């Protein structure tokens, strides 16, 4: 029976029932954390062979001693594995250290101080710098922009990518220098940018000649089903549209091997790579090539990456299914929430009754379940409808996850009842 058919007395009865259940849950002393999409220990164990590599043989395929300085672009044999995944020529891929976020940071800072390859002047001397931010989106992308005073312009993220009509209007402003995108299994909705939408973005006529698409392909191989969704070839599409320097593509092994000691990658046009390396060379003499060598030997090939990710899927897919099953069982008949059922990635996006997400998060926290703050998936942490909640199912055990989602569902019902009665 949905909420809109209930009388006030029936809503009060439901509230009393859920409040009693909530108090029991609080008394059980739960301490559960669904705040971030961290790999579980079982997932990390899949790559434990790395811990014994590379051993005494520390030279790469070219005979270079990886213990020493140099090699700014990273090891060729590792770039050869990830270049096809990124759909970028090997010589236009840079392999770095453990965090693609650091590469994103460097690209922003280099642009602010120096401008990009086709800028007339540094972004930092412009009267304003603005970025388009599809929402819901990735909080760390937004935090980077906020850190450096770059204005964020939210646009709706649809099932097939950002609202292109809205983007087309925004790029008429020369202050709009770029946009973020997670093209495959986006954070947090799991949306996939279609080939058609990617082609439209590639062909956009922008007032800023140095407009960039920061294409964060974090989940390119993170499938939850046997269907391997293909990411649009943004570099090829932009080159064909006459904008070869537009895309800057990021990827990493953070949720492939070890999250804290993986390898990150940047791919782009030849001109952008030359620009990036020129400035990167002032910050570092080279990446951790020993770590890159062990990754190359462990993964071996693109097929090796996919085989490893099949192991991740076996661990993750049942957890995601459990989240969906519990939400359907607890909330499906009440009409107070909707949620995504992603085919890949690391998150489930839950939309609750407008104006109640902050209350849901508060109730969950008081019951011992930590969630990402309401509004985190929006610029400045401001969800104008206060309804979106990001669920990260990966880290908890199946039993802990089921308990946490049960608590969350109880909190959703309580907050919905409270609001309905208040109105």
């Amino acid at each position: 029976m949905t909420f809109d058919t209930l009388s006030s007395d029936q809503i009060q009865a439901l509230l009393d029932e859920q409040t009693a259940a909530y108090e029991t849950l609080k008394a059980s002393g739960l301490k559960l954390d669904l705040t971030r999409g961290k790999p579980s220990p079982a997932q990390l164990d899949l790559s434990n062979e790395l811990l014994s590599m590379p051993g005494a043989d520390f030279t790469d395929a070219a005979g270079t001693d990886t213990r020493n300085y140099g090699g700014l672009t990273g090891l060729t044999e590792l770039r050869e594995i990830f270049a096809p995944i990124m759909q970028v020529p090997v010589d236009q891929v840079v392999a770095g250290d453990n965090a693609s976020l650091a590469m994103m940071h460097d690209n922003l800072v280099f642009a602010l101080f120096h401008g990009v390859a086709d800028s007339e002047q540094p972004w930092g001397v412009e009267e304003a710098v603005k970025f388009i931010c599809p929402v819901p989106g990735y909080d760390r992308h937004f935090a980077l922009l906020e850190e450096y005073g770059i204005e964020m312009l939210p646009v709706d993220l649809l099932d097939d990518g950002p609202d292109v009509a809205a983007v087309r209007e925004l790029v008429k402003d020369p202050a709009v220098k770029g946009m973020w995108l997670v093209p495959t299994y986006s954070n947090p909705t799991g949306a996939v940018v279609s080939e058609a939408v990617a082609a439209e973005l590639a062909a956009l006529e922008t007032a800023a000649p140095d407009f960039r698409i920061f294409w964060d392909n974090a989940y390119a191989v993170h499938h939850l089903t046997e269907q391997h969704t293909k990411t649009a070839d943004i570099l090829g599409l932009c080159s064909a549209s006459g904008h070869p320097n537009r895309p800057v593509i990021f990827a990493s092994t953070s949720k492939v091997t070890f999250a804290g000691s993986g390898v990150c990658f940047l791919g782009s046009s030849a001109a952008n790579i030359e620009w990036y390396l020129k400035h990167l060379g002032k910050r570092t003499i080279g990446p951790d090539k020993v770590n890159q060598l062990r990754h190359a030997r462990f993964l071996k090939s693109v097929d090796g990456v996919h085989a490893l990710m099949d192991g991740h899927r076996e661990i993750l897919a049942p957890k995601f299914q459990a989240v969906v099953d519990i939400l359907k069982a607890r909330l499906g008949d009440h009409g107070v929430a909707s949620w995504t059922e992603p085919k890949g990635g690391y998150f489930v996006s839950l939309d609750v009754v407008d104006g109640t997400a902050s209350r849901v998060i508060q109730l969950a926290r008081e019951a011992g379940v930590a969630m990402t703050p309401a509004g985190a998936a929006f610029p400045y942490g401001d969800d104008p409808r206060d309804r979106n909640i990001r669920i990260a199912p990966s880290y908890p055990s199946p039993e802990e996850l089921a308990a946490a989602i049960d608590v969350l569902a109880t909190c959703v019902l309580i907050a919905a009842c409270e609001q309905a009665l208040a109105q």
Side-chain angles (χ1 to χ4, degrees):
M1 189 176 296
T2 59
F3 249 52
D4 55 4
T5 65
L6 297 179
S7 67
S8 294
D9 288 345
Q10 288 173 315
I11 294 174
Q12 183 64 57
L14 178 60
L15 176 58
D16 292 344
E17 174 189 273
Q18 296 302 316
T19 301
Y22 176 76
E23 293 301 328
T24 301
L25 290 166
K26 279 181 68 174
S28 66
L30 295 172
K31 290 185 178 179
L32 305 174
D33 190 341
L34 270 66
T35 54
R36 303 229 63 96
K38 296 193 299 185
S40 67
Q43 291 175 260
L44 298 174
D45 287 346
L46 296 172
S47 299
N48 277 347
E49 189 180 344
L50 282 169
L51 296 173
S52 61
M53 291 180 165
D57 180 8
F58 38 74
T59 56
D60 69 4
T64 302
D65 185 339
T66 59
R67 301 172 302 170
N68 221 323
Y69 287 131
L72 198 60
T73 58
L75 298 192
T76 300
E77 54 259 53
L78 185 61
R79 292 187 288 127
E80 286 174 343
I81 295 172
F82 281 87
I85 294 172
M86 300 173 71
Q87 302 177 85
V88 177
V90 174
D91 59 0
Q92 291 169 219
V93 174
V94 177
D97 291 320
N98 73 303
S100 57
L101 191 69
M103 284 181 158
M104 299 173 207
H105 173 275
D106 284 353
N107 271 265
L108 280 177
V109 172
F110 295 163
L112 288 169
F113 275 96
H114 306 290
V116 294
D118 36 20
S119 293
E120 295 179 357
Q121 59 184 1
W123 287 6
V125 303
E126 302 274 1
E127 188 173 327
V129 178
K130 304 175 184 179
F131 254 62
I132 297 168
C133 299
V135 294
Y138 182 26
D139 54 340
R140 292 192 184 274
H141 288 166
F142 305 153
L144 274 178
L145 300 179
E146 189 169 4
E147 175 77 6
Y148 293 106
I150 297 172
E151 183 180 344
M152 292 179 263
L153 306 173
V155 299
D156 288 338
L157 180 63
L158 310 176
D159 288 342
D160 61 349
D163 180 342
V164 177
V167 172
R168 189 174 288 111
E169 288 301 309
L170 290 172
V171 296
K172 294 177 180 178
D173 179 354
V176 175
K177 294 293 190 179
M179 72 179 297
W180 288 110
L181 265 181
V182 179
T184 305
Y185 310 134
S186 73
N187 177 351
T189 68
V192 176
V193 177
S194 70
E195 189 81 13
V197 167
E200 288 192 74
L201 296 174
L204 283 174
E205 293 303 323
T206 64
D210 49 357
F211 177 80
R212 293 291 184 264
I213 297 175
F214 279 15
W215 187 265
D216 182 5
N217 207 5
Y219 307 109
V221 294
H222 298 67
H223 314 293
L224 289 170
T225 73
E226 293 187 3
Q227 175 187 344
H228 289 190
T229 300
K230 190 176 185 297
T231 303
D233 175 12
I234 192 64
L235 183 61
L237 290 169
C238 286
S239 296
S241 297
H243 306 117
N245 294 340
R246 178 166 292 175
V248 184
I249 303 165
F250 304 94
S252 81
T253 69
S254 291
K255 294 179 176 68
V256 175
T257 56
F258 292 155
S261 51
V263 182
C264 62
F265 302 91
L266 180 147
S268 193
S269 66
N272 282 352
I273 294 300
E274 180 182 3
W275 167 86
Y276 177 71
L277 291 173
K278 179 177 71 173
H279 298 299
L280 181 68
K282 308 300 189 298
R283 185 177 72 75
T284 181
I285 302 174
D288 182 348
K289 297 186 297 299
V290 174
N291 189 37
Q292 292 188 5
L293 180 63
R294 65 177 182 165
H295 273 78
R297 289 179 178 170
F298 174 63
L299 295 169
K300 296 183 177 64
S301 65
V302 174
D303 288 342
V305 174
H306 291 306
L308 178 58
M309 295 313 296
D310 286 342
H312 282 272
R313 186 183 74 237
E314 290 177 9
I315 296 168
L316 284 175
K319 292 184 177 182
F320 276 76
Q321 190 61 53
V323 170
V324 171
D325 289 346
I326 294 169
L327 292 176
K328 283 181 178 177
R330 293 292 317 280
L331 303 177
D333 292 339
H334 294 289
V336 295
S338 61
W339 50 88
T340 57
E341 298 186 28
K343 303 299 183 185
Y346 253 64
F347 304 97
V348 173
S349 184
L350 172 68
D351 284 338
V352 297
V353 174
D354 284 21
T356 66
S358 298
R359 175 61 172 156
V360 171
I361 297 298
Q362 176 195 2
L363 287 166
R365 181 176 64 250
E366 292 173 358
V369 177
M371 304 289 299
T372 304
F378 292 77
Y380 311 106
D382 179 22
D383 175 1
R385 296 177 63 176
D386 189 24
R387 68 167 183 163
N388 184 255
I389 294 171
R390 188 179 76 179
I391 301 172
S394 58
Y395 188 79
S397 69
E399 296 76 20
E400 291 172 334
L401 177 63
I405 301 304
D406 188 50
V407 170
L408 180 62
T410 300
C411 297
V412 170
L413 289 170
I414 290 173
C417 288
E418 289 175 342
Q419 187 185 84
L421 292 171
Q423 291 174 347

